[in-house]
Amino acid sequence: MDPGAPWRDPRQGYGAYGVGSAMQMHLQQRADAAAVAGGGVLKRSLGELERWQHQQQQHVAAQQALYLRAVRQRTAAAADIAALLGGGGVGVPTQQPLVLSGAAVPLMHPHPHQHPQHQQRQVHLMASSPQTQAFGLSRAPQAQPPPQPAASSEQFILQELEKQLLDDDDDDEPLAAMSGTGSAVTNSEWEETIQQLNSITAAPSPGLAAPAAAATPNNNNNNAGMTRSPSNSSSSTASSSASCSPPTPGAASRQLLSEAAAALADGNHEAAATHLAALKRAANQHGDAEQRLIAMMVPALSSRIVPTAAALAQQFDEFCGAEQRAGSLLLHDISPCFRLALHAASAAIVEAVGDNRAVHLVDFDVSFQQHKALIQYLADRRVPGTSLKVTAVTDPSLPFSKSLSATLPAIGEQLKLLAERAGIEYRFTVVSCRAAELDASRLCCAPGEALAVNLAFALSHVPDESVSPANPRDELLRRVRALGPQVVALVEQELNTNTAPLAARFTDACAHYGAILESLDATLGRDSAEKKARAEAALARKAANAVGREGADRLERCEVFGKWRARFGMAGFRPVALGAGIADQVAARVGPAPPGITAKADNGVLRLCWMGRAVTVASAWR
């Protein structure tokens, strides 16, 4: 029989890869060869014909097995990408059959909780594959998912990587090319792509990534349905461990502290006590900054669980006592964030009074560190006949007045000696009066003198409208404005311990006091251990009052600068900008800031920061 007979067109070749067409053409080739060999007459026995048919069936089965192996490996690739793209929220895929010439082929079916875009992508990849169409694969039609919003750039990158893994780059590549390895995607290419995916997904946002071990499988069938190649298991494990790495001890302690505070806020004292008992083992007053912070915060929260009248009275007396006052002044001296802010306030006062020889400073919380800097800045002006009159005001209605009054005479004597050595005439007077009684006559204000008011770290200890209907804080500001000062200096901690609820107040306090402890570790040497211990003890009492007390018993009522700005504006003040010149003066006087400490002139105020977090803010008003 002529090979070029009309029923067999050689120009068609073997470009079609359907199973039926391939088998038919193979039969034709064998028939042609037999016909030619036999002189054009096909002579075969029944046994030979059955053996020949059995061989053809084995050949077709081998072709089907080859395709099934390719589908399974690509299905495993789709499962790996589904796990990575889902971030732990994608369930284990189930199986759905495809019909292949009467044989069932398992195909990945997306989990009901899987992202719709990924579901559609998997179906499209498997259904539109040239090999799938050539082998006669068919699938029951399904409803199309609703249109989804445009994917983010990260999702686009992941989808492109997925496309490279699962799509066929060359539609004309014959199926026989896979016979050597069983997959068009090699193990090395797959592992390299998995590493690229890991570099994107291995750093989840805090609080969003749940440990893989916490995910409970829905059923055993789903677990059994997931197939992974051995070479991919190590990559998947590395990705899982990278995205679900355990938190550091410091982060875990902070989280447990926050949970204890939240439990107390909800009235769940039993859960709070459990958390605090576990945290006590990590507390160490002589450890690193994180351990000392825990040692500071655990007693503060514990005092809220079973408060007794005797314990509350003792804590209140200690917070208002002489040791707390001395420790706070020591903190102002050794902490760069406090010391530099007080220097900035003194520089702002000197800049506001100009060349006036008679300067009158009204101070509501005298700090030796700040007044020492003020005398130095006044002396640097080299104005002959400079005199400095300081009026220290104590309010007998405030619980701090007793300890403040006890320290003022000694501070006045020390400052007088410094002023005399600098060639400045110095007078120091103490006046006791309430905010409502404050006026120029009580303060002995005289005509011709440049009046300045210092409110550094004073207003945060004065109750506001949330504590007393009389609102002594705003009353004091109105009285100060009535004096007509040339400048009012304000320095406060950048912290909201006034009106914030307990959970938010505690979180802010942890970050704030933790930054102070870290800055002390970085800036103080071993020879300052005793000073640091006393200053940190005062800081711990501040924290205990800020987070452990409520109502009138909470005396530590700091506010962030935005609230101070609104309060000063309502009292009739306008801001006086602290420019770069103030920061330069401070740097020239005390030297450059230590590593980690930055002084940022921002919108007319000076923010003293530790590692980018504002600890104190200095501002000026008039």
Side-chain angles (χ1 to χ4, degrees):
M1 184 177 295
D2 185 5
W7 60 269
R8 181 174 180 271
D9 188 359
R11 293 173 299 175
Q12 293 180 359
Y14 297 94
Y17 295 102
V19 175
S21 61
M23 182 174 67
Q24 181 181 9
M25 299 186 77
H26 188 80
L27 290 172
Q28 290 168 358
Q29 286 180 330
R30 295 289 298 271
D32 290 348
V36 173
V41 179
L42 184 61
K43 297 181 179 180
R44 290 181 180 274
S45 65
L46 181 60
E48 290 176 345
L49 182 60
E50 289 177 352
R51 286 194 300 271
W52 179 80
Q53 290 178 348
H54 180 67
Q55 291 175 358
Q56 299 310 309
Q57 290 175 358
Q58 289 180 340
H59 180 72
V60 172
Q63 294 288 337
Q64 291 180 352
L66 180 62
Y67 175 75
L68 289 178
R69 183 169 56 183
V71 169
R72 287 193 184 99
Q73 292 190 2
R74 290 167 182 257
T75 302
D80 286 333
I81 289 182
L84 286 171
L85 292 177
V90 179
V92 180
T94 57
Q95 303 290 331
Q96 178 174 342
L98 289 178
V99 179
L100 173 60
S101 301
V105 180
L107 179 65
M108 187 75 72
H109 181 70
H111 193 273
H113 298 295
Q114 190 174 350
H115 197 283
Q117 287 184 346
H118 191 62
Q119 298 176 9
Q120 186 178 6
R121 176 68 177 161
Q122 288 180 339
V123 172
H124 173 74
L125 287 171
M126 299 305 299
S128 62
S129 173
Q131 287 86 350
T132 304
Q133 296 173 356
F135 272 90
L137 288 163
S138 61
R139 185 179 185 203
Q142 293 184 355
Q144 294 294 330
Q148 300 294 329
S152 63
S153 60
E154 179 179 328
Q155 292 173 337
F156 177 78
I157 294 173
L158 293 173
Q159 290 173 357
E160 287 302 314
L161 291 172
E162 178 190 8
K163 181 179 179 181
Q164 294 178 12
L165 285 173
L166 300 181
D167 277 355
D168 293 315
D169 297 331
D170 188 4
D171 291 339
D172 297 330
E173 178 185 2
L175 182 64
M178 294 189 296
S179 60
T181 61
S183 175
V185 181
T186 64
N187 290 340
S188 61
E189 292 173 344
W190 171 240
E191 292 175 356
E192 180 181 356
T193 309
I194 283 293
Q195 292 176 0
Q196 297 177 15
L197 287 171
N198 289 345
S199 65
I200 300 174
T201 60
S205 300
L208 296 180
T216 303
N218 294 334
N219 51 58
N220 295 332
N221 295 333
N222 288 349
N223 289 340
M226 176 173 286
T227 59
R228 303 270 183 162
S229 61
S231 61
N232 295 340
S233 60
S234 60
S235 300
S236 303
T237 304
S239 173
S240 177
S241 62
S243 61
C244 305
S245 57
T248 60
S253 299
R254 294 281 184 102
Q255 179 64 25
L256 203 56
L257 280 171
S258 298
E259 291 177 2
L264 285 172
D266 295 338
N268 190 350
H269 289 186
E270 182 178 354
T274 302
H275 294 328
L276 294 175
L279 285 165
K280 285 181 180 179
R281 295 191 292 270
N284 185 358
Q285 294 181 349
H286 305 289
D288 58 20
E290 193 69 26
Q291 292 173 325
R292 301 200 309 276
L293 178 66
I294 298 173
M296 180 185 299
M297 290 301 182
V298 167
L301 291 178
S302 299
S303 65
R304 300 179 64 102
I305 297 179
V306 187
T308 62
L312 295 178
Q314 181 181 359
Q315 292 177 2
F316 192 85
D317 292 340
E318 290 178 353
F319 185 59
C320 301
E323 181 59 29
Q324 176 66 20
R325 171 71 181 169
S328 297
L329 294 177
L330 189 58
L331 179 66
H332 297 171
D333 186 23
I334 66 175
S335 170
C337 293
F338 288 81
R339 184 177 69 252
L340 296 177
L342 291 174
H343 269 266
S346 297
I349 291 173
V350 173
E351 186 177 86
V353 299
D355 293 335
N356 283 280
R357 290 186 293 178
V359 179
H360 184 189
L361 178 64
V362 177
D363 199 331
F364 291 84
D365 191 359
V366 176
S367 169
F368 178 81
Q369 179 67 33
Q370 182 181 10
H371 282 246
K372 177 183 176 181
L374 178 63
I375 292 172
Q376 293 171 344
Y377 287 124
L378 287 174
D380 290 343
R381 299 184 312 162
R382 301 187 182 278
V383 176
T386 298
S387 65
L388 176 60
K389 181 173 66 175
V390 176
T391 301
V393 180
T394 62
D395 188 342
S397 65
L398 299 179
F400 295 100
S401 61
K402 184 177 180 180
S403 61
L404 176 61
S405 301
T407 60
L408 288 177
I411 292 177
E413 290 296 326
Q414 293 175 340
L415 293 173
K416 185 177 181 179
L417 294 175
L418 289 175
E420 289 177 351
R421 285 199 294 265
I424 297 176
E425 182 183 350
Y426 187 84
R427 285 182 293 169
F428 189 88
T429 307
V430 178
V431 174
S432 177
C433 67
R434 299 174 183 269
E437 303 168 350
L438 196 65
D439 57 24
S441 61
R442 293 291 298 267
L443 300 176
C444 301
C445 296
E449 60 185 15
L451 180 63
V453 176
N454 182 47
L455 291 172
F457 302 116
L459 285 179
S460 56
H461 291 158
V462 179
D464 68 346
E465 65 279 1
S466 65
V467 180
S468 170
N471 195 356
R473 184 174 292 185
D474 286 352
E475 177 66 21
L476 176 60
L477 287 178
R478 288 191 294 268
R479 292 286 178 168
V480 167
R481 183 180 180 276
L483 297 175
Q486 291 185 249
V487 66
V488 176
L490 176 68
V491 180
E492 284 292 350
Q493 300 178 70
E494 186 70 355
L495 173 68
N496 187 6
T497 57
N498 185 24
T499 56
L502 174 59
R505 189 166 78 239
F506 180 81
T507 301
D508 197 16
C510 275
H512 179 80
Y513 294 125
I516 295 176
L517 294 176
E518 291 174 2
S519 67
L520 292 177
D521 284 349
T523 56
L524 295 180
R526 295 179 180 273
D527 56 342
S528 303
E530 183 178 353
K531 289 183 178 180
K532 186 171 75 169
R534 291 186 64 191
E536 289 185 1
L539 197 67
R541 285 187 284 267
K542 286 177 176 287
N545 185 264
V547 303
R549 303 274 70 83
E550 299 294 342
D553 290 338
R554 178 147 49 87
L555 306 178
E556 189 75 7
R557 291 184 171 271
C558 302
E559 291 184 319
V560 295
F561 178 73
K563 290 191 174 183
W564 290 123
R565 179 173 51 197
R567 197 176 291 275
F568 270 73
M570 289 186 295
F573 289 96
R574 59 182 178 85
V576 177
L578 299 182
I582 297 294
D584 294 339
Q585 290 183 45
V586 174
R589 172 61 59 184
V590 301
I597 302 291
T598 54
K600 297 181 180 178
D602 180 23
N603 293 328
V605 303
L606 194 66
R607 299 178 184 271
L608 282 304
C609 308
W610 167 253
M611 294 301 182
R613 177 184 174 86
V615 177
T616 56
V617 179
S619 60
W621 308 83
R622 64 178 304 170

